[in-house]
Amino acid sequence: MGVGELLLVGVVVLLGLCGVLVPGVPGSWLVWAAVLWWALKDPQPVSWGVLVGATVVLFLSQVVRWALPPRRLRASGATPRMGVYAGVGALLGFVLIPVLGAIPGFMAGIYLHERIRLGRHGEAMASLRTAMRSGGSSVLTELFTCLLIAGAWLGAVIWG
């Protein structure tokens, strides 16, 4: 697989990661489809392993999301800007504290957005709790899954 094709797969993965934060966009399925395309174009044992792992993790994530409360983020006052802060926080956390850092990074992004918007610690914490109860945990589950898949793909491309 050429560099151009790998870059295209990477762009689709990034679009999928962004799509997780945008309601109505099938972000996790875009990430999975990019990995599927990569595995079909570069049929190596490592690429098939990443595809199988991505499929299993995505399925488990869907099961967990069905058990969580439905998304009602708009009703809780969540804005697209909050989604950007949460996404950037999750990505930074994922990189700074490998894998598990996405969880506190996601919540720190929401907290930072609310702290800037509201100006007080107590109100920002209350808003964070409301956002997480209103569907933030569902978004976090999907985003964490997609970050795992993207990390596995990137690791396989670089070291595989």
Side-chain angles (χ1 to χ4, degrees):
M1 185 173 232
V3 173
E5 290 174 317
L6 284 174
L7 286 174
L8 193 55
V9 171
V11 166
V12 174
V13 167
L14 282 175
L15 286 173
L17 287 171
C18 293
V20 168
L21 302 171
V22 178
V25 176
S28 55
W29 296 111
L30 279 172
V31 171
W32 182 82
V35 171
L36 173 67
W37 182 34
W38 168 70
L40 291 173
K41 295 291 265 178
D42 188 19
Q44 301 292 325
V46 72
S47 61
W48 288 106
V50 170
L51 177 62
V52 168
T55 303
V56 169
V57 169
L58 190 60
F59 175 75
L60 291 174
S61 134
Q62 294 301 315
V63 170
V64 169
R65 285 186 54 223
W66 286 327
L68 293 172
R71 290 184 182 182
R72 292 195 178 97
L73 288 171
R74 292 273 185 219
S76 73
T79 62
R81 184 175 295 222
M82 180 190 289
V84 170
Y85 274 78
V88 169
L91 182 62
L92 287 174
F94 189 84
V95 171
L96 294 174
I97 304 170
V99 182
L100 294 178
I103 297 167
F106 181 85
M107 293 192 297
I110 293 174
Y111 173 80
L112 178 63
H113 174 267
E114 292 302 293
R115 181 69 189 249
I116 291 169
R117 186 175 72 89
L118 300 171
R120 304 187 85 185
H121 170 72
E123 292 172 1
M125 286 301 291
S127 184
L128 170 63
R129 283 190 295 276
T130 301
M132 292 305 287
R133 283 189 203 119
S134 299
S137 53
S138 178
V139 173
L140 175 58
T141 301
E142 187 175 0
L143 183 61
F144 185 73
T145 301
C146 289
L147 284 169
L148 282 175
I149 295 169
W153 172 77
L154 189 60
V157 167
I158 292 172
W159 293 293

